[in-house]
Amino acid sequence: MKDSLPGHSTTRAIEDGFPFELVSRIADVESWRKEVWRPVYHTHKWWAQRLGSVFRAAIIGSLVSSESDVMEDFYRRCDFTDRVVFDPFMGSGTTVGEAVKLGCSAVGRDINPVAYRSVSVALSRLSETRLAELYGQLESTVGREIRELYQSVDSSGHVCDVLYWFWVKHLPCPECSRTVDLFSTHVFARHAYVRRHPEVHVVCPNCGEVFPSQYPSHVVACPSCGVGFDQHQGAVRGAKATCSSCANVFPIARTARAAGHPPEHRLYAKLVLRRDGTKEYLEATDDDLVAYESAERRLREMDLPLPSVRIADGYNTRQVLNYGYVSWDQFFNSRQHLALGLLAKAIADLPNSRERDALGVLFSGVLEFNNMFASYKGEGTGAVRHMFSHHVLKPERTPIEANVWGTAKSSGSFSTLFRSRLLRALDYKAAPFEIRVEAGTSRAVGHKVVGLSQPMDTNVVDEWPRAGLRQGDTYLSCGDSARTDLPDGSVDVVITDPPFFDNVHYSELADFFHVWQRLWFGWSEERTTRQSGEVQDTDADSFAEKLAGVFRECCRVLTDTGLMVFSYHHSREDGWSAVARAVLEGGFVPVQAQPVKSEMSVAVPKAQANSPIDLDVLMVCRKRKQDSRSRVSDEVALRCAVDRARSRLTRFNQAGRLLSRNDVRVVLSSLLLVELTPGRTASEVVESLALVGSTLPAEDLFAAQHVSVSPEETGLFSLPT
């Protein structure tokens, strides 16, 4: 039996009765291992990926009446086969995929071609048999060739695979011209849980010897040359370096920029995989340097094309430009260029098919871990820290060069990502599962629940069919979502996660992948993914104008009784003013705001914030003509917003979750926006937000929080197993 979409007089569950605290508990578990719980959205890097469990609940809540139990529907096999869900900012495809699982016809659009290609491959029908055949061809040919580039000898003189080469950037001292290695510490390898596993590996600053040590130690003596030094203190402190020869202190970025090119690198160590399967840290030898020089010569002789596209100035590229980088090919050393070029060529030469495209997207994802911006996380976890761990292009002073093809114990390689990304995604698509959180345990433990969703065997089309989408079709397109080819009133629900206006500029970072995709697979003629219509801007007015254009298009294609729901958060008043303008000028009014868990709690931008934001708000909007609420004064709007915010905080507290100061502000600001909009123009709302925003009692609400049950009972504050 189909779930019926309520008529326009019926309130949806996401407007009244949405269990945000229970959904957030499920999302909490998902957030720690998103690539395991929702692998289909992680076949390729994209930024600010939201949680599948939140968007599953949001779709359900937008399609059932307030009399329905969303959590009951969450854990049953729903049937929305006659409903169309549209995401104009599809990113990694979370909304589209969750809609497919619920039986909806899904429409996804993104202006960035890297996002479009990734989602298109992830959701397309792929033959696992054919994929395995093509992978096998690569493994027996170019795989063997690449593995030979990553061979050395262990301490016994036996030939072995190199897991990782260790490099350090260096600069000439501006005062005496002596070379300064940009080590901030001489400990270059440690366990992720160093208190439990205190053994570390150290490089001697005098002779280059690599030797084991204990992490708590400070002054150590090199067993080779006898020189003593503080193992935790290198030449670098913050943004400056000190020359050990003349004691001159100099700024690193300015010195690199003055040279007109990025800092050079020195190979100093390696981690090898011995024949018996054990690992060994060793100093890089003269033979290792000769092998690297051989790869350099081979690269020149083969004349493989390189992605030598100039890096344009931008919010997220300025940091590397200040370090002397000018083109995307400078992110890689010669051996990486050789290995990646050989692999890309071998994939491009495969017969044209969806499976070949999937391997091409996988190759693009491999770039994230195999460049001179990647670093070493150490033992006890995935060893390679990918280049976007900080959401910016941050130059790495001690980069790691991983084995591009990989071994059984590699991290971030083509062979390991083939299994952990592509094959895992195929398994999930065939048998999707949800997360059920075990109650009453000391940790928030999630269990897989299968059979709640239909297989993600969708037919992906690249143009709107004349007769409309057939049942179960998925329409994906690449372009400006302010202009689509969707018919008027063809969409039942719009659910999306717009870009964040003053943080991560997706196209500036996506160009890193795009220049390779363009070079080898011919997926675009454009040299950049940056476009004038991209909804991403440091200027609030420009952001609001562009977002309003997309929302106007959403208003056109949405049925009169449909909802537009989007996730959002911001800690400043201008962020809320910008989104208020976009919503109202787009033809909508916000009628509800539901706080939910956002991305991973330990993401770097959060971990480094004084008051991290752990929540998104699902802003629930109707077309303006569907809103029958009356205008109220600023004072009444504020009082209502405070009362509703207090109620939401209480529900979170009763579920065992305390919110940060900025989380409280996000909840209060979103509800104030809901209360201020009836009967007002966009400019009037912005004016009221500016007046009332300064009087928000967020600190009082934050201080008044309490937890009625212990975290041990709920498990919400512990890392799930």
Side-chain angles (χ1 to χ4, degrees):
M1 178 179 178
K2 289 184 179 179
D3 298 89
S4 59
L5 186 69
H8 70 275
S9 61
T10 306
T11 304
R12 312 290 203 273
I14 200 166
E15 297 174 278
D16 183 19
F18 189 69
F20 55 81
E21 71 276 39
L22 303 180
V23 172
S24 295
R25 188 178 189 194
I26 300 167
D28 242 340
V29 175
E30 182 187 339
S31 72
W32 292 99
R33 296 294 302 277
K34 292 187 285 188
E35 76 284 358
V36 172
W37 294 111
R38 288 294 197 281
V40 71
Y41 313 131
H42 296 271
T43 55
H44 193 279
K45 171 68 180 178
W46 198 251
W47 293 268
Q49 293 179 317
R50 286 335 191 219
L51 301 168
S53 49
V54 168
F55 279 78
R56 175 181 175 87
I59 294 170
I60 292 171
S62 300
L63 291 176
V64 301
S65 72
S66 58
E67 286 78 24
S68 298
D69 186 326
V70 171
M71 293 313 302
E72 182 178 304
D73 290 335
F74 191 96
Y75 289 113
R76 73 181 181 90
R77 194 179 179 109
C78 298
D79 182 9
F80 298 117
T81 51
D82 56 348
R83 305 303 166 204
V84 178
V85 176
F86 174 41
D87 184 352
F89 301 105
M90 69 177 172
S92 62
T94 303
T95 297
V96 177
E98 295 304 307
V100 168
K101 287 164 54 182
L102 290 166
C104 303
S105 293
V107 180
R109 187 170 173 84
D110 204 286
I111 197 170
N112 196 287
V114 172
Y116 166 73
R117 294 171 199 136
S118 302
V119 178
S120 181
V121 161
L123 295 182
S124 291
R125 288 172 178 159
L126 299 173
S127 166
E128 187 167 353
T129 301
R130 181 57 177 157
L131 196 61
E133 289 175 356
L134 295 179
Y135 175 80
Q137 291 180 34
L138 296 174
E139 184 175 37
S140 62
T141 54
V142 71
R144 182 177 303 167
E145 192 175 1
I146 293 172
R147 286 195 298 269
E148 291 175 355
L149 297 173
Y150 294 89
Q151 288 190 334
S152 185
V153 295
D154 61 20
S155 59
S156 301
H158 296 130
V159 175
C160 59
D161 291 321
V162 176
L163 291 170
Y164 311 109
W165 301 103
F166 295 89
W167 298 78
V168 59
K169 280 181 169 64
H170 60 83
L171 286 170
C173 171
E175 188 70 25
C176 70
S177 299
R178 292 287 295 271
T179 298
V180 179
D181 286 338
L182 300 182
F183 285 114
S184 58
T185 172
H186 297 294
V187 175
F188 71 91
R190 49 180 278 188
H191 199 281
Y193 303 100
V194 72
R195 290 185 179 179
R196 281 181 276 168
H197 305 275
E199 183 176 272
V200 297
H201 285 81
V202 178
V203 57
C204 175
N206 183 57
C207 70
E209 175 72 12
V210 167
F211 61 92
S213 179
Q214 295 293 306
Y215 186 74
S217 301
H218 280 269
V219 177
V220 297
C222 173
S224 180
C225 68
V227 168
F229 59 94
D230 185 344
Q231 66 178 4
H232 294 296
Q233 183 55 57
V236 171
R237 181 167 294 180
K240 297 182 178 181
T242 302
C243 176
S244 61
S245 296
C246 68
N248 176 46
V249 179
F250 60 91
I252 296 170
R254 188 189 307 168
T255 303
R257 189 167 61 251
H261 57 78
E264 295 182 353
H265 294 88
R266 180 176 71 84
L267 178 63
Y268 68 92
K270 61 189 175 184
L271 176 61
V272 301
L273 185 62
R274 296 166 60 98
R275 290 179 179 179
D276 61 2
T278 59
K279 301 175 184 178
E280 185 178 26
Y281 291 93
L282 297 169
E283 181 182 356
T285 66
D286 289 341
D287 287 341
D288 294 329
L289 297 177
V290 169
Y292 180 78
E293 291 167 359
S294 175
E296 283 187 310
R297 286 195 302 273
R298 187 177 171 195
L299 178 66
R300 289 194 297 268
E301 292 166 359
M302 291 190 68
D303 196 28
L304 288 169
L306 303 179
S308 53
V309 177
R310 192 168 187 84
I311 304 169
D313 183 41
Y315 184 82
N316 287 124
T317 59
R318 207 155 292 148
Q319 192 170 14
V320 294
L321 292 172
N322 286 337
Y323 242 75
Y325 290 86
V326 295
S327 63
W328 293 107
D329 59 301
Q330 293 176 320
F331 283 52
F332 307 87
N333 70 25
S334 294
R335 182 164 44 209
Q336 289 172 329
H337 271 307
L338 177 60
L340 292 168
L342 291 170
L343 180 55
K345 184 178 186 305
I347 295 171
D349 288 343
L350 293 172
N352 190 21
S353 65
R354 284 284 192 181
E355 289 74 24
R356 189 205 71 163
D357 289 348
L359 292 170
V361 167
L362 178 65
F363 165 82
S364 179
V366 167
L367 298 172
E368 181 185 3
F369 299 89
N370 292 273
N371 58 76
M372 297 300 277
F373 280 53
S375 57
Y376 191 48
K377 289 197 288 186
E379 304 288 348
T381 183
V384 182
R385 180 180 292 107
H386 62 80
M387 65 178 296
F388 293 113
S389 60
H390 292 270
H391 288 190
V392 294
L393 295 174
K394 179 180 179 292
E396 176 56 45
R397 294 165 185 160
T398 54
I400 183 176
E401 179 192 355
N403 187 319
V404 170
W405 185 268
T407 71
K409 295 189 177 182
S410 288
S411 170
S413 68
F414 187 80
S415 60
T416 54
L417 292 180
F418 176 75
R419 295 187 293 272
S420 65
R421 286 191 173 182
L422 274 187
L423 295 187
R424 183 182 282 168
L426 288 179
D427 289 342
Y428 183 86
K429 286 165 64 178
F433 52 81
E434 299 305 323
I435 306 168
R436 190 183 294 277
V437 181
E438 185 176 327
T441 59
S442 59
R443 291 185 176 185
V445 180
H447 299 285
K448 295 179 181 179
V449 184
V450 298
L452 303 179
S453 302
Q454 52 189 319
M456 301 174 73
D457 185 29
T458 183
N459 178 45
V460 175
V461 298
D462 56 9
E463 62 180 22
W464 183 267
R466 288 185 178 181
L469 287 181
R470 295 178 303 175
Q471 181 175 313
D473 275 357
T474 297
Y475 171 36
L476 303 180
S477 63
C478 183
D480 188 348
S481 289
R483 295 180 296 276
T484 75
D485 59 354
L486 305 182
D488 294 352
S490 57
V491 171
D492 295 297
V493 181
V494 174
I495 298 187
T496 192
D497 175 42
F500 202 68
F501 89 84
D502 59 354
N503 192 357
V504 180
H505 290 230
Y506 303 151
S507 64
E508 295 177 9
L509 303 180
D511 276 354
F512 169 80
F513 301 110
H514 176 75
V515 293
W516 284 86
Q517 295 179 358
R518 169 184 175 271
L519 179 69
W520 284 105
F521 307 114
W523 288 338
S524 174
E525 295 182 358
E526 301 297 331
R527 296 172 66 87
T528 179
T529 65
R530 300 190 191 189
Q531 298 182 54
S532 59
E534 184 185 16
V535 181
Q536 192 80 72
D537 211 299
T538 55
D539 178 72
D541 291 337
S542 180
F543 171 78
E545 182 180 347
K546 293 176 182 178
L547 186 58
V550 175
F551 284 170
R552 274 192 293 271
E553 182 70 353
C554 291
C555 190
R556 181 185 70 79
V557 304
L558 186 66
T559 62
D560 283 345
T561 59
L563 298 178
M564 181 178 74
V565 179
F566 66 94
S567 57
Y568 189 76
H569 71 248
H570 210 287
S571 58
R572 302 196 312 268
E573 182 272 324
D574 63 338
W576 291 102
S577 296
V579 83
R581 277 187 51 194
V583 170
L584 291 163
E585 291 176 3
F588 291 97
V589 288
V591 296
Q592 186 57 280
Q594 303 288 10
V596 289
K597 166 73 180 176
S598 65
E599 59 183 320
M600 185 175 178
S601 303
V602 294
V604 171
K606 290 186 176 185
Q608 295 178 346
N610 292 327
S611 180
I613 297 177
D614 195 44
L615 297 181
D616 278 334
V617 175
L618 296 177
M619 298 300 302
V620 183
C621 306
R622 285 188 176 274
K623 291 186 176 183
R624 179 178 283 277
K625 61 184 178 182
Q626 295 290 320
D627 184 26
S628 59
R629 297 173 299 161
S630 301
R631 176 171 179 156
V632 297
S633 66
D634 289 356
E635 293 76 13
V636 171
L638 177 60
R639 186 165 61 250
C640 290
V642 170
D643 289 344
R644 296 175 72 182
R646 184 178 292 111
S647 172
R648 279 159 172 71
L649 264 59
T650 298
R651 286 171 60 178
F652 271 127
N653 293 170
Q654 289 174 345
R657 181 191 294 272
L658 289 172
L659 305 184
S660 71
R661 286 178 172 84
N662 273 337
D663 277 333
V664 172
R665 180 169 290 277
V666 165
V667 173
L668 186 51
S669 297
S670 65
L671 290 168
L672 178 61
L673 180 57
V674 170
E675 297 296 336
L676 283 174
T677 48
R680 299 176 190 241
T681 64
S683 59
E684 289 174 330
V685 171
V686 169
E687 182 180 354
S688 291
L689 281 173
L691 291 172
V692 182
S694 61
T695 65
L696 290 180
E699 188 65 32
D700 294 341
L701 289 176
F702 168 76
Q705 289 186 97
H706 69 280
V707 178
S708 60
V709 292
S710 68
E712 289 72 26
E713 290 180 275
T714 64
L716 287 176
F717 299 101
S718 303
L719 177 66
T721 57

